[in-house]
Amino acid sequence: MSETMSTNEEKKLPLNGRRAIPPNNSNDEENEVPEMEAFGLIPRGFNPRDYLRVEDIYMFKDPHEINKQEHHTDKYYNPKLIVRRGQSFQIQIYFNRPYKPETDRFWLEFLMGRYPQQNKGTYIPILVGNVLKPGQWGAKIIHRENNSIRLSIMSSPTCIIGKFRLYVAVLTPFGILRTRRNSATDTYILFNPWCQMDAVYLDDEKEREEYVLNDIGIVFHGNVEDIKSRSWSYGQFEENVLDACLFLMDKAELELSGRGNPIKICRVASAVINSRDDNGVIAGSWNNSYDYGVAPSAWTGSVDILLEYYSSKQPVRYGQCWVFAGVFNTFLRCLGIPARLVTNYSSAHDNNANLRLDFFLDDEGKVDTRLTKDSVWNYHCWNEAWMTRPDLPVGFGGWQVVDGTPQETSDGMYRCGPASVQAIKHGHVCFQFDSPFVYAEVNSDIFYTKMEKNGTQVVEKIDTTHIGQLIVTKEVGGDRMMDITAEYKFREGSDEERLALETAVMYGVKKQSIQDTTYQPQTDVEMDFQAQKAVLGNDFKVTITFRNKSRNSYTATTYLSGNIVFYTGVTKSEFKKHSFSAKLQPSSSSSFDIVIKSSEYMSDLLEQASFHFFVTARINETGKILAMQKAIVLEIPTLRIKTKGELVAGKETSVIVEFTNPLKQTLENVTLRLEGPGVLRTIKKQFGRIPMNSTLTWEIKCIPMRPGLRKLIASLSCDALRHVYGELNVQIQKP
């Protein structure tokens, strides 16, 4: 006996003076549970075989069986039992003899982590009773036959989520006999949007099917005048993805006892999705060089990223906002928290959260890139997660903004949210977490300020409607866009909008009043800027129009600056400078065309083919300046996908991807990716070169596994051309 004692002593971790047991923040670690727990000295004649003994436990864990069907977990590609909390499930126990309720006593034990404790929810003993009470753990016998009994087990709607180990314990006069550790009876417990007592309860079945069970989504990108969309494979049910998502919470060192709370889970996940300051899942890169990694635009879904991180434990390179949001959405849906990916067009990245973006102009009216620190993202993607907010006053539950893209630190880490959408709309930005930052992303004003030689600042123009002018997500049950701007803000210029702004300012959002600066806009001349639909590799024209509403003749010294930008609005290079003098006749309009040649932009073009034009015009007679900016996204060619032969689950079929190179140059080192949840795992192929005007054809053989409507998604990536996508809906027949 003394030998075994000493080895146990060695295994114990050194205790510190602050806590009695070490932190319990790994779902993966286990403790050893004794099979025989003696009450004292065991008499010599004791034979455990004389007592009730468990021979086998049957978990009803196949996808077609009752548990996974009733708990909506039949799509998970995982052989173990997966159930949702607050809802009953069944197991069958086989004993060595018929069970006698009068004399036999047994109970179940669910354990999690290395230091299970009942008061922390990581050790759950369940006695067998006569009734199941909703809202608490319990078990009752629903069927007895020969040596077996069938139990219905109810879990608590607030219990922690993750992977539990199951033991059956039998009481004997001399001690407790337990079943052996058996990983086949491990049980995953997830959030339950179908259960009214769960914090993530969602009452609409169509919405639950979309926001929890749909494993494909759509990312809206481009810009507000030229909205583009692409599909993204969330793949939350694919093999090992559930384990990878649980690992993320271990990585973030979230105490096991806190894992029943969706607010805590979202907060730590928004930090661990990005690699800044915690070696999280995805390393962001916005500089157009993606050595030793995958270009953000080449990913077609989340599964490859999560599985690579789960196996390597190192950040996966590289991501930008829609990649962070896509992976975050997979994480949330996988654990059972309803979630959707949202795009905010013209999103303010305001470095000092004062609700104003400052663009500084020099004497000539050109933007001074040295002084201008704020930027307008063409679009920015984040997520919304659905939950109650018992930590806030009534009325702020529902959709919460969570954002895994590293923009600013929050409580010392790169994370953002959960911030109540309702609180943002009404300006109640005092409520945690990060509401002022999100409020600024959708509500800032743009100030064009001229720096005079003597150091004074003159505000030439204030644009109050440019930022956050459209906020969208994918519609429920379809692929179209749903406008949710009204969830975030009242109509521009309405009384409610003013009131919400005043409320936000009262709660500490900094907003400089106009009185601090001299501002007298030029009102009798209006300027507009339009661009022709432009295709990558072609010339296109832009038009500047002036409307002189006064009775005076004016001349306007006009300056156009064309910049190649990242989608974050940060300039890489100025490729076009053009200035001219415009004569403006009284009470009339005049238009001026400028041609943009492909030779001017092709050499420096970035992957999202985004341009940003600043137009400034100085009215010489009055010295006033007109200013505006506009983002333009080129049309990028697409991939074509088709299938050959019949599409039947379990039978081999062919998928063909085609691409024609439209550029006036040869594409080199081209990577193609193709994936489709339930049809095929991601396949990659490298092609050396595609000459101009030639067509590449790639044929793949695969065996679709799941019947039903599925989607194939493909991407093409090379240094000269990125953001090339194709997709195809396919109907897989039952065999």
Side-chain angles (χ1 to χ4, degrees):
M1 193 71 189
S2 61
E3 281 178 346
T4 55
M5 279 302 288
S6 62
T7 53
N8 278 354
E9 302 268 288
E10 284 161 28
K11 270 194 196 161
K12 273 195 170 169
L13 288 171
L15 296 180
N16 62 21
R18 206 168 67 81
R19 33 164 86 224
I21 63 163
N24 195 15
N25 53 23
S26 167
N27 195 163
D28 231 21
E29 291 184 4
E30 303 187 1
N31 62 332
E32 286 190 25
V33 179
E35 284 183 49
M36 173 70 195
E37 196 178 318
F39 294 149
L41 289 173
I42 297 176
R44 194 157 278 165
F46 174 76
N47 181 1
R49 298 183 167 234
D50 299 343
Y51 297 93
L52 187 69
R53 194 174 70 253
V54 176
E55 308 240 303
D56 195 14
I57 306 174
Y58 188 75
M59 305 293 288
F60 302 101
K61 58 188 182 181
D62 283 352
H64 61 272
E65 290 183 295
I66 182 166
N67 288 334
K68 282 188 175 167
Q69 285 292 324
E70 289 194 345
H71 287 253
H72 308 93
T73 56
D74 52 307
K75 286 198 177 116
Y76 285 90
Y77 196 94
N78 185 315
K80 299 193 170 145
L81 178 61
I82 305 171
V83 293
R84 298 188 187 274
R85 63 186 193 176
Q87 185 178 337
S88 63
F89 60 95
Q90 298 182 13
I91 67 170
Q92 189 138 339
I93 303 176
Y94 293 88
F95 295 111
N96 56 339
R97 58 170 175 75
Y99 164 71
K100 304 190 196 106
E102 307 77 46
T103 52
D104 293 332
R105 289 239 3 241
F106 78 94
W107 62 91
L108 308 174
E109 296 175 328
F110 281 103
L111 281 70
M112 185 189 283
R114 187 156 175 202
Y115 307 99
Q117 279 180 284
Q118 193 165 351
N119 62 350
K120 294 264 197 265
T122 48
Y123 168 68
I124 305 164
I126 306 168
L127 299 172
V128 178
N130 297 326
V131 286
L132 288 184
K133 295 196 189 113
Q136 61 190 61
W137 282 95
K140 72 169 194 180
I141 297 172
I142 53 173
H143 189 67
R144 279 164 57 185
E145 189 177 326
N146 303 335
N147 293 359
S148 77
I149 57 167
R150 191 185 284 204
L151 291 175
S152 177
I153 302 164
M154 174 67 81
S155 62
S156 151
T158 57
C159 78
I160 58 184
I161 60 135
K163 184 161 90 171
F164 286 89
R165 313 189 289 286
L166 170 65
Y167 295 91
V168 181
V170 176
L171 186 66
T172 73
F174 306 109
I176 297 168
L177 293 175
R178 272 194 194 81
T179 47
R180 264 212 176 100
R181 170 80 185 97
N182 175 9
S183 64
T185 61
D186 287 352
T187 302
Y188 293 90
I189 298 184
L190 306 179
F191 287 104
N192 193 351
W194 284 264
C195 167
Q196 290 197 4
M197 296 163 85
D198 197 311
V200 302
Y201 172 65
L202 187 59
D203 62 353
D204 183 315
E205 178 58 26
K206 289 248 181 328
E207 290 188 2
R208 290 189 294 242
E209 281 173 16
E210 179 68 58
Y211 298 136
V212 184
L213 301 180
N214 194 351
D215 55 1
I216 291 192
I218 289 193
V219 177
F220 293 99
H221 58 114
N223 70 31
V224 71
E225 290 179 10
D226 188 6
I227 291 169
K228 296 185 177 334
S229 68
R230 56 165 298 196
S231 292
W232 184 269
S233 160
Y234 296 126
Q236 66 266 36
F237 305 120
E238 301 297 304
E239 195 171 7
N240 295 329
V241 168
L242 176 55
D243 289 317
C245 291
L246 295 179
F247 167 70
L248 292 196
M249 292 193 282
D250 291 357
K251 181 78 180 86
E253 297 185 358
L254 175 58
E255 184 78 45
L256 293 180
S257 58
R259 294 190 189 182
N261 181 342
I263 302 168
K264 280 190 178 167
I265 286 180
C266 284
R267 184 122 180 97
V268 301
S270 80
V272 84
I273 290 288
N274 66 70
S275 67
R276 297 284 291 268
D277 60 35
D278 57 4
N279 252 350
V281 185
I282 305 158
S285 173
W286 281 268
N287 61 9
N288 210 46
S289 87
Y290 307 117
D291 303 342
Y292 315 112
V294 174
S297 57
W299 299 111
T300 47
S302 310
V303 178
D304 295 353
I305 297 171
L306 281 166
L307 296 188
E308 184 182 325
Y309 184 70
Y310 184 40
S311 67
S312 75
K313 317 282 189 266
Q314 291 301 313
V316 178
R317 295 183 285 212
Y318 290 97
Q320 287 172 9
C321 69
W322 69 94
V323 182
F324 292 105
V327 172
F328 204 162
N329 222 47
T330 299
F331 170 85
L332 294 166
R333 287 187 185 181
C334 184
L335 298 184
I337 300 173
R340 60 190 188 184
L341 192 149
V342 169
T343 301
N344 176 33
Y345 284 102
S346 302
S347 188
H349 187 176
D350 174 7
N351 284 323
N352 51 358
N354 62 350
L355 285 195
R356 81 179 242 185
L357 298 179
D358 287 300
F359 286 88
F360 293 106
L361 309 172
D362 62 14
D363 293 353
E364 296 174 27
K366 287 194 277 196
V367 171
D368 186 328
T369 47
R370 218 170 24 89
L371 291 172
T372 303
K373 296 278 182 286
D374 293 335
S375 68
V376 178
W377 296 37
N378 287 358
Y379 64 92
H380 177 46
C381 299
W382 58 67
N383 306 80
E384 288 177 359
W386 179 270
M387 66 194 72
T388 57
R389 287 298 298 267
D391 56 326
L392 303 183
V394 172
F396 294 110
W399 290 115
Q400 311 291 317
V401 172
V402 289
D403 189 348
T405 301
Q407 294 190 85
E408 300 289 331
T409 55
S410 165
D411 299 335
M413 285 182 84
Y414 281 93
R415 56 181 165 197
C416 177
S420 161
V421 173
Q422 190 70 346
I424 291 159
K425 177 169 184 173
H426 291 275
H428 290 268
V429 295
C430 50
F431 296 132
Q432 57 193 24
F433 296 85
D434 306 312
S435 311
F437 181 74
V438 182
Y439 186 86
E441 285 183 300
V442 299
N443 283 306
S444 292
D445 294 340
I446 298 177
F447 280 60
Y448 293 93
T449 306
K450 194 166 85 187
M451 303 297 280
E452 299 287 2
K453 289 269 193 295
N454 63 6
T456 56
Q457 299 186 4
V458 180
V459 175
E460 296 288 354
K461 178 177 177 196
I462 299 175
D463 188 339
T464 57
T465 60
H466 187 80
I467 297 297
Q469 47 188 315
L470 180 63
I471 304 167
V472 301
T473 186
K474 171 189 172 310
E475 67 177 0
V476 172
D479 285 353
R480 289 197 302 270
M481 184 176 86
M482 179 163 84
D483 182 345
I484 54 168
T485 317
E487 309 270 320
Y488 281 83
K489 50 211 288 194
F490 292 102
R491 196 171 42 78
E492 290 283 353
S494 64
D495 293 347
E496 295 93 343
E497 187 210 22
R498 285 294 107 203
L499 185 61
L501 176 68
E502 283 164 25
T503 310
V505 171
M506 176 178 81
Y507 283 130
V509 171
K510 300 187 283 292
K511 183 163 176 81
Q512 275 174 300
S513 65
I514 297 297
Q515 285 75 37
D516 306 348
T517 46
T518 49
Y519 172 52
Q520 292 153 326
Q522 172 85 29
T523 51
D524 55 3
V525 179
E526 285 175 358
M527 178 173 75
D528 189 30
F529 176 77
Q530 291 299 333
Q532 184 185 7
K533 261 244 190 270
V535 177
L536 183 73
N538 293 3
D539 301 351
F540 62 96
K541 70 170 205 251
V542 296
T543 306
I544 299 168
T545 306
F546 292 98
R547 233 172 95 217
N548 180 356
K549 298 190 289 191
S550 75
R551 299 195 172 151
N552 312 323
S553 292
Y554 289 132
T555 51
T557 302
T558 309
Y559 182 83
L560 168 94
S561 161
N563 300 278
I564 286 172
V565 292
F566 298 94
Y567 79 98
T568 57
V570 175
T571 300
K572 177 193 177 194
S573 60
E574 186 178 45
F575 72 93
K576 179 83 174 175
K577 293 180 187 160
H578 185 79
S579 51
F580 60 93
S581 182
K583 290 207 169 8
L584 311 181
Q585 303 300 337
S587 310
S588 66
S589 296
S590 8
S591 296
F592 303 88
D593 289 348
I594 300 155
V595 174
I596 312 286
K597 292 196 164 56
S598 66
S599 55
E600 294 175 307
Y601 67 75
M602 277 310 287
S603 59
D604 266 347
L605 198 62
L606 293 173
E607 57 179 271
Q608 299 218 13
S610 295
F611 298 133
H612 199 221
F613 289 99
F614 276 113
V615 186
T616 45
R618 187 172 66 236
I619 308 293
N620 298 330
E621 288 74 7
T622 63
K624 288 286 168 21
I625 286 183
L626 303 169
M628 67 182 301
Q629 55 176 308
K630 179 163 279 192
I632 288 176
V633 183
L634 296 179
E635 281 294 316
I636 298 176
T638 53
L639 295 170
R640 297 181 295 283
I641 308 180
K642 48 193 191 192
T643 55
K644 209 162 75 180
E646 54 174 2
L647 300 170
V648 180
K651 277 199 180 159
E652 189 177 76
T653 186
S654 284
V655 178
I656 298 160
V657 181
E658 287 181 350
F659 175 73
T660 306
N661 174 12
L663 300 189
K664 303 181 176 82
Q665 67 186 79
T666 297
L667 298 179
E668 296 183 344
N669 299 331
V670 179
T671 309
L672 275 177
R673 285 175 103 88
L674 175 70
E675 81 168 290
V679 184
L680 46 80
R681 294 300 283 271
T682 309
I683 309 176
K684 283 183 298 199
K685 188 165 169 72
Q686 297 276 10
F687 293 87
R689 46 204 313 259
I690 312 174
M692 55 190 254
N693 294 328
S694 73
T695 298
L696 161 153
T697 306
W698 177 35
E699 184 168 336
I700 307 101
K701 298 231 181 304
C702 66
I703 300 174
M705 297 316 289
R706 283 198 227 132
L709 183 64
R710 313 303 304 162
K711 189 171 264 182
L712 297 170
I713 308 168
S715 78
L716 175 144
S717 185
C718 64
D719 286 345
L721 192 59
R722 302 199 199 277
H723 275 268
V724 178
Y725 304 112
E727 54 189 64
L728 179 69
N729 287 327
V730 290
Q731 185 74 45
I732 310 289
Q733 305 299 329
K734 288 194 169 119

